[in-house]
Amino acid sequence: MNIINKLKIFNDPIYGFISIPNALIYDLIEHSYFQRLRRISQMGLSYLVYPGANHTRFHHALGCMHLMQKAIETLRFKDVTISAEEENALYVAILLHDIGHGPFSHAMERSIVEDVNHEAISLLFMNQLNIEFNGKLSLAIQIFKGDYHRKFMLQLISSQLDMDRMDYLKRDSFYSGVAEGNVNSERLIQMMNVVDDVLVIEEKGIYSVEKFLLSRRLMYWQAYLHKTSLVAELILTKVLKRAKELTLKGIHLPCSEPLLFFMQNKINLETFTPETLDLFSQLDDFDIIGALKSWQKHDDFILSTLSKMIVNRDLLKIKLTSEKVSLEELQSLKERFAAQNNISAIDASYFIYRGKIKNQAYSKEAEPIRILKKDKTIEDVVEASDQLNLKSLSKLVTKYYICFPKQLI
């Protein structure tokens, strides 16, 4: 194919036109591994709360690549040397940073693919693509793993102020309608610079950083940790756990072949072969939703009841508290529900459970966001800011929850 045909543009509702920078990026986007991201929702089951939140990981990956183009343009303008090879590697790494996500990724990682996280699967995909593309992804993989000597390149892909966060906050805010998450990514990128191969934000951009961190905190409470999204994801985790449990007992459950494979086998990083990766690449949201629709009619009370809850959005009740829920309260609810439905207390624990959620907009333990001051000194944003709220944003806030069937109210 003529290279000129590969320089396509996408029309994005957030940034306008996104251009594909070269033929390699075009070929990676065209690959079935990447096209699968069109069938994986970016916000999981959040559409049960925000009906517009149906955008995909495909959208997000392209948005991140677009922001990376802007970042490289800005840094070069400020005389930061980035070679053509490094530029291309940054595009590849950010484009593929989320390629290892499965359908409803967090629920899957806690149930049927529990020994391998999505970051590890992303790396497996990249290594496989590197073989197919004759080593053209080698530098991107090196940067992605943090093995490259120019530290700021990893920071653009994975840090507390990276292209990933800048895009998902803006995009998730747009599609969900939660206006508080709308960050000014253009301004943040314009304020970026590099000192001694480390990413810094110029002092005049400090208020944009504060707004970014506040937006992140609010998006977590209003969207990602919204109690309805949370309970839906917890129910899905329990459904998949139950499905795996029944499958391992030899009970047949109607579902797609790739999903059946992961329910029948305990997979870890050592046993994640290229064949396993290929089966994983065939999994998307439709496998899970299709399975839930079938399982509604299954004889197993737990599987059918939980599946119906998600399909019909008739979820468990969830209560958030500042205090840990007592074991006595939990036990009492389980006994009542078990008696009502003629099931064991162990089975009742699929419907009644407690846990906790944490929200920390800025972590002091992680790599800091560095502010380049006018006198050329560099300071952690928390120290550089005159806003007291930044100190509170770096505090870890914990909330406790209990989930139980509505009939127990």
Side-chain angles (χ1 to χ4, degrees), residues 71-82 150 152 192-195 197 202:
I72 290 171
E73 198 180 295
T74 299
L75 294 175
R76 278 185 174 156
F77 181 73
K78 295 177 183 179
D79 295 325
V80 178
T81 308
I82 298 169
R150 304 194 73 187
F152 79 92
M192 284 182 167
N193 209 331
V194 171
V195 176
D197 274 334
E202 291 161 6

Side-chain angles (χ1 to χ4, degrees), residues 90-316:
L90 285 168
Y91 294 152
V92 171
I94 196 68
L95 187 74
L96 304 180
H97 78 282
D98 265 353
I99 200 167
H101 274 289
F104 308 106
S105 191
H106 303 294
M108 272 194 81
E109 282 176 28
R110 290 197 289 262
S111 54
I112 59 174
V113 194
E114 51 194 321
D115 293 327
V116 197
N117 62 32
H118 67 267
E119 290 91 354
I121 299 173
S122 288
L123 201 51
L124 291 170
F125 272 124
M126 284 189 195
N127 287 327
Q128 185 59 35
L129 286 166
N130 200 27
I131 294 166
E132 291 182 33
F133 285 86
N134 303 316
K136 288 181 185 169
L137 279 68
S138 298
L139 183 56
I141 291 168
Q142 208 182 335
I143 293 169
F144 185 79
K145 288 164 75 176
D147 294 342
Y148 195 55
H149 66 279
R150 304 194 73 187
K151 193 175 176 181
F152 79 92
M153 295 194 173
L154 174 64
Q155 290 172 300
L156 289 170
I157 295 156
S158 178
S159 67
Q160 297 204 74
L161 188 63
D162 56 24
M163 302 304 114
D164 175 34
R165 289 183 184 190
M166 276 189 218
D167 182 80
Y168 78 62
L169 287 172
K170 199 172 178 69
R171 190 168 297 277
D172 296 350
S173 159
F174 176 87
Y175 280 97
S176 64
V178 178
E180 288 80 0
N182 189 8
V183 297
N184 191 346
S185 50
E186 277 190 17
R187 167 87 177 156
L188 284 163
I189 288 170
Q190 286 297 324
M191 294 300 111
M192 284 182 167
N193 209 331
V194 171
V195 176
D196 298 330
D197 274 334
V198 172
L199 194 67
V200 294
I201 301 290
E202 291 161 6
E203 189 172 13
K204 56 188 178 215
I206 195 162
Y207 300 119
S208 301
V209 176
E210 287 171 4
K211 164 75 165 60
F212 169 84
L213 293 172
L214 186 60
S215 297
R216 187 163 185 264
R217 175 188 165 83
L218 294 174
M219 277 299 282
Y220 267 83
W221 286 136
Q222 282 187 253
Y224 312 129
L225 296 175
H226 185 288
K227 62 179 191 172
T228 307
S229 305
L230 176 65
V231 74
E233 191 173 285
L234 289 165
I235 295 168
L236 181 58
T237 307
K238 299 281 184 188
V239 175
L240 294 173
K241 271 198 159 147
R242 182 61 171 181
K244 184 157 190 167
E245 195 179 292
L246 294 172
T247 304
L248 291 174
K249 283 181 182 169
I251 297 168
H252 172 71
L253 299 182
C255 65
S256 70
E257 278 181 38
L259 183 55
L260 186 61
F261 172 83
F262 284 97
M263 292 201 302
Q264 285 174 335
N265 296 281
K266 199 161 174 58
I267 303 293
N268 57 38
L269 212 47
E270 285 68 48
T271 58
F272 217 105
T273 62
E275 292 72 31
T276 309
L277 190 67
D278 190 57
L279 279 163
F280 186 85
S281 78
Q282 294 170 45
L283 278 177
D284 56 46
D285 289 8
F286 298 100
D287 295 80
I288 305 291
I289 299 295
L292 291 174
K293 285 169 72 181
S294 299
W295 297 345
Q296 291 179 99
K297 300 179 178 67
H298 199 271
D299 295 342
D300 184 73
F301 172 75
I302 296 168
L303 189 72
S304 62
T305 308
L306 293 175
S307 296
K308 280 176 197 160
M309 283 180 183
I310 297 175
V311 174
N312 303 315
R313 200 196 178 277
D314 184 11
L315 307 168
L316 295 169

